[in-house]
Amino acid sequence: AALRRIPAAFYSVRWWAHGVTVACLVIAVIFGVWVATSPAGLASMGSESQRLEYVNNAFAEYYQPGGGFASMVWTNNAWIAMQSVAFGVTGVWPVYVMGQNAIAVGSIGGMMAHYGELGLFFKLITPHGLLELTAIFMAGGAGLKLFWAWVSPGNRPRSVALAEAGRTLILVAIGLVFALGLSGLVEGFVTGSNLVWWLKILIGAVALAI
């Protein structure tokens, strides 16, 4: 029965998830441009040798195909998502987690762009990132919706508003475990594979559609 209610739970937090998505994209672009075009921004990513090692080797080598890697990715992302949902009532934790994630992704993209490897950045992050980032943004939006139920319960007692939002968020959390499991499989077996790039991205798009 819970599985049948998960799509409705996702739908109920859609606007919060959209808001988080837009905010994270804006932050990522700002930091990406700063790192790519500013000496200070580039210097914040480490020494010249460290940056070149990351761009030329470490970034691509991170995506090693295999079940162990897929499991690690799933566990890590699920933990981030669950924190955003569980501590959403604080209003601070989801903002912090989403902000840090956006800054990190944007800064890495900016560094890759500075060294002429922006194409490689998108080729490696897009196949699994389509679903993975959607799920992370959904978690952030769900957490903030819980916070808002506490701040503005409407005509309901605050305890009732929190309880109703909390039940919905439990379903969102369950759904995100499955979604992040699927994105982990894509990241673990598709992103770093020898498949052509367009097919990898197509597989990622199909996973998102599912």
Side-chain angles (χ1 to χ4, degrees):
L3 290 177
R4 291 195 296 271
R5 296 197 299 270
I6 286 173
F10 278 174
Y11 189 75
S12 72
V13 301
R14 66 195 184 283
W15 294 116
W16 290 94
H18 292 333
V20 169
T21 300
V22 172
C24 287
L25 288 176
V26 169
I27 292 171
V29 169
I30 290 173
F31 275 84
V33 171
W34 178 60
V35 170
T37 61
S38 162
L42 188 62
S44 71
M45 302 301 289
S47 66
E48 178 75 8
S49 61
Q50 289 173 327
R51 296 193 300 264
L52 287 173
E53 167 61 23
Y54 187 85
V55 171
N56 294 328
N57 299 303
F59 183 70
E61 290 175 355
Y62 172 75
Y63 299 101
Q64 295 298 320
F69 178 65
S71 177
M72 182 271 290
V73 167
W74 180 26
T75 302
N76 180 66
N77 289 332
W79 173 239
I80 293 174
M82 294 310 103
Q83 287 182 74
S84 297
V85 172
F87 301 124
V89 71
T90 66
V92 175
W93 192 251
V95 173
Y96 173 77
V97 171
M98 297 298 113
Q100 289 296 308
N101 187 65
I103 290 171
V105 172
S107 297
I108 292 172
M111 182 172 64
M112 299 289 286
H114 177 83
Y115 290 104
E117 294 291 354
L118 187 60
L120 177 63
F121 171 78
F122 281 116
K123 284 178 180 178
L124 284 172
I125 202 172
T126 302
H128 62 276
L130 290 170
L131 178 55
E132 177 181 286
L133 291 176
T134 298
I136 294 296
F137 296 153
M138 182 76 71
L144 290 175
K145 185 180 181 182
L146 180 63
F147 170 69
W148 192 248
W150 177 75
V151 171
S152 180
N155 296 324
R156 303 165 296 175
R158 184 165 279 107
S159 59
V160 173
L162 281 173
E164 291 177 355
R167 286 193 291 270
T168 298
L169 261 61
I170 290 173
L171 293 174
V172 170
I174 293 171
L176 289 178
V177 169
F178 289 105
L180 289 169
L182 181 56
S183 73
L185 289 174
V186 174
E187 188 168 358
F189 293 99
V190 176
T191 298
S193 72
N194 294 322
L195 295 173
V196 294
W197 292 113
W198 66 264
L199 181 56
K200 294 181 184 182
I201 294 173
L202 177 61
I203 292 171
V206 170
L208 175 62
I210 292 172

